[in-house]
Amino acid sequence: MVKMTKSKTFQAYLPNCHRTYSCVHCRAHLANHDELISKSFQGSQGRAYLFNSVVNVGCGPAEERVLLTGLHAVADIYCENCKT
């Protein structure tokens, strides 16, 4: 008999000295402002951001989508803390 256990996800915290992007629902840290590469992407749901690195996010499958700024390989992300 194999016992399955759920692994606990630990939330990463970013330094307070930088501006941070956080989840609108639970306020979990997602990225430092210094990691922002571009805000000049536009999708069907609104503005899309490109970051060098992020924390506390899960990632869906990558797929090619036509955004208003052209064809891009993108993946939807969600907050690992609250799953939104």
Side-chain angles (χ1 to χ4, degrees):
M1 179 174 181
V2 176
K3 184 177 180 182
M4 301 293 284
T5 60
K6 204 174 191 182
S7 63
K8 182 170 173 95
T9 303
F10 293 95
Q11 186 175 347
Y13 293 93
L14 299 171
N16 286 335
C17 60
H18 294 94
R19 291 190 303 165
T20 59
Y21 289 86
S22 59
C23 176
V24 69
H25 299 286
C26 71
R27 310 300 291 164
H29 290 178
L30 301 178
N32 272 330
H33 181 72
D34 296 341
E35 296 295 323
L36 179 65
I37 296 172
S38 176
K39 293 195 287 189
S40 64
F41 294 95
Q42 188 72 30
S44 62
Q45 301 293 320
R47 188 181 256 175
Y49 293 74
L50 176 63
F51 286 93
N52 186 45
S53 66
V54 293
V55 296
N56 301 321
V57 297
C59 188
E63 59 187 28
E64 288 190 344
R65 292 187 197 161
V66 177
L67 305 179
L68 295 177
T69 51
L71 181 66
H72 299 280
V74 299
D76 292 327
I77 61 170
Y78 60 90
C79 175
E80 277 287 354
N81 191 48
C82 67
K83 307 299 184 201
T84 58

